[in-house]
Amino acid sequence: MSTKAATVTVKRLHTPHQTESFTQFKPLSTALKNEVFAAVTGLFDAAGGKNLLKKSGDVYLKPNAIDSKPYSYTRPELVEAVIQYWKNAGARHIYLIENCTQSNFTRMVFALTGYSDICRRYGVREVYLDEEKSIPFIFRGKAPETQDETGYAQTNFLIPRFITENLIDRAEENLYISLPKLKTHSMAGVTLGVKNQWAFPQPSDRRSDHNYNLASKLVDVLSYIQPDFTIIEGVEATIHGHYPATALADKCVLPFRVLIGSANVVAADLVGARLFGLKPEEDVLHLKIAMDRDYSRGVHSLDDVEIIGDISDFTQRYSWDLYPQFPEDITILKGKERCCREGCQNNPLTVIQILSCDFQGKGGWTIVMGKGHDREVIDAIKGRVMVAGHCAIAEAGDSLVARLGRKNIYFSGYCNDLCATTNALCHLMKVNPLLMAPLPFFKSLKLLTLSKLHGSQANVPFFFAHKVKVV
């Protein structure tokens, strides 16, 4: 019998992946889809099968559906395989839950990814967490910044009542399964099972402290709730961040063809990070903090994990940082004292890369981020300027407005206000934000109207941000 604190099973998929460029996002072949279904069955059967069901008989599934951009979300084939398994196992009700990234709304993402179609076919209940009423919680991993200069700017946050009632208060009655995508993350090292729960704070509460405190806050959420089982979908893996420009997919998407399953979410994430050649102490701080705070159920390193399956051929280290391709005619000014990759650096740079590579966004302007800028450089800026993050706004905002005029200055506050960033960049780069949601205008408008009528708290860019300056 193993003496390890946790077991992680890695299922290798042997059916060939598509031979075309990954810039063409395609459904899986029938053979590969069938192998995914078989691998899912093997993972759950080995963990106890239908005996995993709890008192209620209900199953709650949380994919990674931050957006509908190719390779950023859990493949629908994996979601369908899991739903089919629990349908066959006799689950009473199955719920598919998500609260997508800032600057988007979940009802739209479910429609675009095909999740809604799957739910209708199988009778699964869709839960858009951005439309749910919420309960206040406390980020408790650090003191407020009023007591510690490196502490939290915001300590209160909201979790949807649906989550608190069903997965926190009734955790012993309901089966909660996390289905993240195997991705690096340009602001968190990796985004796997632990990061998948960042959907539980409502969108507005994710904007503050999306800086050097992000890793600590991810673990704060973990302290309230952990999945009963995690399957990391790695049919493809993404490197150079979690949200690759489709035009760069052949540089950022790899056909790993693996599924990773475990009852211990931290252990599953450690193995996922290991496949990228990443280490918690160097690359994935939130996993180190989770182990240090003892939210890992006895796992303190990969040595505490029994890995079932051969991963010896994963010997390369892959980059989690953004692929180094940005428009030459955009001047990027980073503060020398501080410029957090977790927020005001890699948040806007990701959007810039996508708008330029996938939508031919225009340059000819300057972005200022972080703090500790040379005054001479700031005073020499001409033309239009985006000022990203409260540090840069506090240091350079007023002087730029006074010299260049408010009409030429675009602000995106907090550490990571993705909606404000998208509004600003769509106007600066002349990209219609509706192009990022490939649905007819009136269908998009209908979904947004339904979302708002149901109380959505999502922060959504202005439909005509390319025409009208919002910030």
Side-chain angles (χ1 to χ4, degrees):
M1 184 175 180
S2 175
T3 59
K4 303 287 189 178
T7 300
V8 175
T9 301
V10 179
K11 292 283 189 181
R12 306 294 293 269
L13 306 173
H14 303 288
T15 304
H17 206 295
Q18 68 185 55
T19 56
E20 299 92 344
S21 164
F22 282 118
T23 59
Q24 303 176 54
F25 183 72
K26 294 189 171 186
L28 300 183
S29 68
T30 300
L32 186 51
K33 178 178 177 179
N34 289 341
E35 193 175 3
V36 168
F37 274 55
V40 165
T41 296
L43 287 171
F44 284 132
D45 283 352
K50 65 181 182 181
N51 291 326
L52 290 171
L53 287 171
K54 298 183 182 180
K55 179 181 178 181
S56 71
D58 292 343
V59 180
Y60 296 76
L61 306 179
K62 167 62 176 74
N64 184 336
I66 64 164
D67 194 273
S68 61
K69 191 161 186 58
Y71 311 108
S72 72
Y73 58 90
T74 306
R75 270 201 172 266
E77 295 91 345
L78 184 280
V79 174
E80 182 179 0
V82 174
I83 289 172
Q84 186 179 97
Y85 181 91
W86 289 109
K87 275 288 198 182
N88 294 339
R92 186 180 67 156
H93 301 301
I94 301 175
Y95 301 86
L96 193 68
I97 61 176
E98 181 57 299
N99 194 352
C100 65
T101 191
Q102 296 179 70
S103 192
N104 215 326
F105 60 104
T106 312
R107 190 180 288 265
M108 167 85 81
V109 173
F110 272 35
L112 287 167
T113 56
Y115 289 175
S116 289
D117 290 338
I118 293 171
C119 289
R120 281 191 289 271
R121 290 205 312 271
Y122 286 90
V124 171
R125 302 185 182 189
E126 301 172 66
V127 181
Y128 314 123
L129 295 176
D130 56 304
E131 299 179 11
E132 294 288 318
K133 296 185 183 299
S134 301
I135 303 293
F137 279 73
I138 301 293
F139 287 120
R140 54 193 179 188
K142 282 191 171 186
E145 64 178 4
T146 53
Q147 300 174 18
D148 180 348
E149 63 177 8
T150 63
Y152 293 154
Q154 178 179 332
T155 55
N156 299 315
F157 72 107
L158 297 174
I159 288 183
R161 180 177 292 168
F162 183 90
I163 297 299
T164 64
E165 291 180 348
N166 294 294
L167 300 185
I168 297 179
D169 297 341
R170 299 177 61 213
E172 300 303 315
E173 300 178 35
N174 298 319
L175 177 61
Y176 162 36
I177 300 172
S178 181
L179 304 173
K181 178 78 175 174
L182 184 58
K183 301 187 294 185
T184 61
H185 196 282
S186 67
M187 293 170 268
V190 296
T191 173
L192 303 172
V194 173
K195 180 70 167 60
N196 199 29
Q197 298 194 141
W198 192 234
F200 295 154
Q202 287 290 13
S204 292
D205 296 325
R206 303 180 214 162
R207 299 178 300 183
S208 295
D209 297 306
H210 210 292
N211 54 11
Y212 51 85
N213 279 322
L214 175 61
S216 181
K217 284 198 164 182
L218 295 178
V219 179
D220 291 349
V221 177
L222 185 70
S223 73
Y224 289 111
I225 180 171
Q226 294 194 21
D228 298 300
F229 201 82
T230 299
I231 296 180
I232 301 173
E233 182 266 292
V235 176
E236 308 95 359
T238 71
I239 58 175
H240 295 296
H242 68 299
Y243 196 68
T246 305
L248 299 177
D250 289 330
K251 299 178 176 66
C252 301
V253 177
L254 302 172
F256 273 16
R257 290 183 294 170
V258 298
L259 301 182
I260 301 168
S262 181
N264 186 312
V265 65
V266 173
D269 283 11
L270 285 172
V271 174
R274 158 67 182 80
L275 298 191
F276 290 123
L278 305 180
K279 299 177 180 179
E281 61 273 15
E282 299 173 8
D283 308 293
V284 193
L285 183 57
H286 64 266
L287 294 184
K288 182 178 185 303
I289 294 173
M291 292 184 288
D292 289 346
R293 293 188 193 169
D294 205 23
Y295 295 133
S296 53
R297 302 178 188 173
V299 171
H300 298 287
S301 75
L302 201 57
D303 292 336
D304 295 321
V305 179
E306 179 184 10
I307 302 175
I308 299 175
D310 183 13
I311 60 171
S312 61
D313 55 327
F314 288 91
T315 58
Q316 187 171 341
R317 176 183 168 86
Y318 296 96
S319 175
W320 48 258
D321 207 354
L322 297 174
Y323 188 79
Q325 180 174 320
F326 301 96
E328 294 182 357
D329 58 349
I330 296 177
T331 301
I332 301 171
L333 300 179
K334 301 179 184 180
K336 296 178 181 177
E337 181 181 343
R338 174 177 291 161
C339 190
C340 298
R341 65 178 174 87
E342 301 91 343
C344 61
Q345 175 177 304
N346 281 358
N347 168 37
L349 289 183
T350 297
V351 182
I352 288 171
Q353 189 170 78
I354 289 168
L355 296 186
S356 62
C357 291
D358 290 347
F359 302 100
Q360 294 71 56
K362 302 183 183 304
W365 48 276
T366 299
I367 182 168
V368 179
M369 55 183 71
K371 66 179 179 179
H373 294 272
D374 292 334
R375 176 49 55 188
E376 296 81 6
V377 174
I378 297 297
D379 290 344
I381 295 174
K382 298 179 181 178
R384 298 172 300 160
V385 187
M386 177 178 173
V387 189
H390 57 83
C391 291
I393 292 172
E395 181 175 329
D398 288 344
S399 64
L400 287 169
V401 169
R403 189 167 59 82
L404 300 174
R406 184 65 181 88
K407 68 178 182 178
N408 289 314
I409 309 301
Y410 301 72
F411 290 133
S412 179
Y414 296 92
C415 296
N416 180 348
D417 188 338
L418 190 52
C419 181
T421 294
T422 302
N423 277 325
L425 291 176
C426 282
H427 194 262
L428 281 163
M429 302 179 77
K430 301 305 177 188
V431 174
N432 186 341
L434 289 172
L435 296 176
M436 292 183 277
L439 284 176
F441 173 77
F442 287 107
K443 186 169 184 178
S444 296
L445 182 61
K446 177 182 177 181
L447 289 170
L448 180 60
T449 302
L450 284 171
S451 178
K452 293 300 183 183
L453 286 174
H454 284 84
S456 176
Q457 301 177 53
N459 302 313
V460 182
F462 181 45
F463 277 4
F464 304 108
H466 59 305
K467 296 288 188 180
V468 178
K469 182 176 181 292
V470 179
V471 292

